[in-house]
Amino acid sequence: MKVLVTGGSGRLGTAVVDGLLGSGHEVVSVDRRPPARHREQWFAADLTVADEANWALSRVRPDAVVQLAAIAVPFSRPEAEILRTNTALAFNVCRSALEAGAGTVVVASSPTVVGYGAPAGWVPSYLPIDEAHPVRPWHAYGLSKLVAEQVVRMFTAQAGDRMRLSAVRPCYVIGADEWAGAPTQQGHTVRERLDDPSLAAGSLFNYVDARDAADLIGLLLHGAHEIPNGETFFAGAADALAREPLAELLPRFHPGTAAAAPTLVDDAPAFSPARAERLLGWKPRRTWRTELR
Ligand SMILES: NC(=O)c1ccc[n+]([C@@H]2O[C@H](COP(=O)([O-])OP(=O)(O)OC[C@H]3O[C@@H](n4cnc5c(N)ncnc54)[C@H](O)[C@@H]3O)[C@@H](O)[C@H]2O)c1
C-alpha cells in the first residue's frame, strides 16, 4: 500500500511512519517541518492551505492517508488559531484524499472531546469511558477534534464505499525516547508523571505507547473494509499511568468522578480499549511497567 502520513515528523507520526515502513508499505510523509529520520520519505506543505493539500495528495496519489497534522497541545496557541488550524487540516486532507482517489483515511482525534477537566465541573456518565460516552469539549483543541470526527462522518456520508474513514482518539502518546527519560508532551518525564499524580491527573492518567497507537492505525488501514464506515476508536493502554488505583486517585483530582470511579480497581484505565479489540483485534501490548527505563 502507498500511504501518505500527514504530521509524520511529530511524536505519533514518527512511530506511524516507522511502523508502516516496517510492515513493508511505501510511505510518504507530509509535514511543515522535516522529520528526524526517513527524510527522503518527506516533503513540506502547509496543509491548512486547500491548494497545498490538493497539490500534496495529487502528487502522491496514495492508497491510504493517515491525517495526524495538528496543533497537538491544548492552549499551546491562541484558541481561535487552534480551532481554525485543526479543523482546516482535517477538512482539507479528507477532501483532497477523496479527490485523489485514496481508498482509506484515518484521522487523529483526541479523548479531550469528552470534556474532562472543564473548569465548570465534569461528571462522567460512567467509567471506564468508551466510544458511546457523551462528548462535551470545553476548549478549542477538544472542539477542533470533535469537528475532525464530524469531518470523518461527513465524508463517509459523501463518499460511501468509495472511501473508508475512521477516527482514532489516542490517549497521551509516549514515544520510545520518552520511556528513556525525554520530556513528554506536557514537559515532564514519564517517571515524574508517575511520582506526582497531579501531573497525569489532567488527562485522567491515560496514555498509550506510540508503537501501540501506530499498530492500531496499521490495523485500521488493513481492516477498514471489514468494519462499519466512519467508526471512532479510543487508543489507550490497558492500564492507568498511576501507581494507585484510579478508584482512589480520580475523585481526589476530579470530584465529579466520585460516583463512577469505584469501578476502576487495581490498574484499570479510565478509557476502555475494548472496542478496538472487538472490531479489529487490537491489543495495547506495552505498559509503563515494562517500558519505563
Ligand atoms: N500526543 C498526544 O498525546 C496526542 C493525544 C491525542 C491526540 N493526538 C493527536 O495526534 C496527532 C499527532 O500528535 P503528536 O503528538 O504527534 O503531535 P506533534 O505536534 O508531535 O506532531 C504534529 C505534526 O503536525 C505538523 N503540522 C502542524 N501543522 C501543520 C500544517 N499546517 N501542515 C503540515 N503539517 C503540520 C507539525 O509540524 C508536527 O510535526 C495530532 O492530531 C494530535 O492532536 C495526540
Side-chain angles (χ1 to χ4, degrees):
M1 221 189 262
K2 190 200 272 188
V3 187
L4 185 150
V5 180
T6 76
S9 306
R11 174 176 274 106
L12 179 54
T14 301
V16 169
V17 170
D18 282 349
L20 291 172
L21 286 173
S23 303
H25 296 294
E26 186 183 339
V27 181
V28 181
S29 165
V30 184
D31 195 303
R32 272 196 311 207
R33 61 184 172 122
R37 50 181 187 271
H38 305 305
R39 208 183 159 119
E40 62 289 354
Q41 250 85 26
W42 162 82
F43 67 89
D46 179 352
L47 299 166
T48 58
V49 179
D51 286 349
E52 289 202 34
N54 273 331
W55 166 75
L57 271 289
S58 59
R59 172 177 163 180
V60 179
R61 297 222 155 261
D63 302 304
V65 176
V66 182
Q67 159 40 31
L68 305 177
I71 298 172
V73 182
F75 303 113
S76 60
R77 306 286 310 159
E79 287 286 86
E81 182 182 338
I82 292 178
L83 183 62
R84 196 171 55 240
T85 301
N86 289 355
T87 54
L89 284 166
F91 183 82
N92 288 348
V93 171
C94 288
R95 182 168 180 195
S96 302
L98 181 61
E99 280 174 12
T104 315
V105 177
V106 178
V107 173
S109 177
S110 162
T112 56
V113 295
V114 170
Y116 48 85
W122 176 72
V123 179
S125 301
Y126 52 85
L127 290 167
I129 294 164
D130 61 15
E131 291 79 357
H133 193 282
V135 289
R136 191 151 50 107
W138 69 270
H139 48 52
Y141 175 76
L143 177 60
S144 75
K145 291 301 178 176
L146 188 54
V147 174
E149 293 184 3
Q150 294 296 346
V151 167
V152 163
R153 292 195 186 102
M154 190 200 90
F155 280 104
T156 302
Q158 198 176 107
D161 282 337
R162 273 196 298 148
M163 191 160 86
R164 310 295 295 186
L165 295 107
S166 50
V168 173
R169 298 171 176 170
C171 290
Y172 195 77
V173 175
I174 301 182
D177 298 353
E178 293 147 7
W179 290 125
T184 63
Q185 193 201 56
Q186 298 288 330
H188 354 83
T189 65
V190 179
R191 194 174 292 282
E192 284 166 344
R193 286 176 84 79
L194 281 162
D195 290 345
D196 177 356
S198 70
L199 298 177
S203 54
L204 304 187
F205 305 94
N206 76 38
Y207 77 106
V208 67
D209 179 281
R211 293 158 296 180
D212 280 338
D215 287 348
L216 173 57
I217 289 169
L219 285 171
L220 276 168
L221 296 182
H222 284 289
H225 287 271
E226 278 119 57
I227 60 172
N229 206 359
E231 285 290 319
T232 298
F233 296 93
F234 278 112
D239 60 354
L241 192 69
R243 293 198 167 98
E244 291 169 70
L246 296 199
E248 287 152 41
L249 274 182
L250 270 186
R252 212 184 296 162
F253 297 98
H254 300 272
T257 64
T263 52
L264 300 180
V265 296
D266 301 328
D267 62 358
F271 293 87
S272 168
R275 185 177 180 76
E277 180 175 0
R278 200 169 60 249
L279 290 187
L280 293 155
W282 177 72
K283 272 190 184 201
R285 289 187 289 144
R286 286 96 173 176
T287 124
W288 64 267
R289 292 175 169 83
T290 55
E291 301 303 317
L292 188 60
R293 275 178 270 149

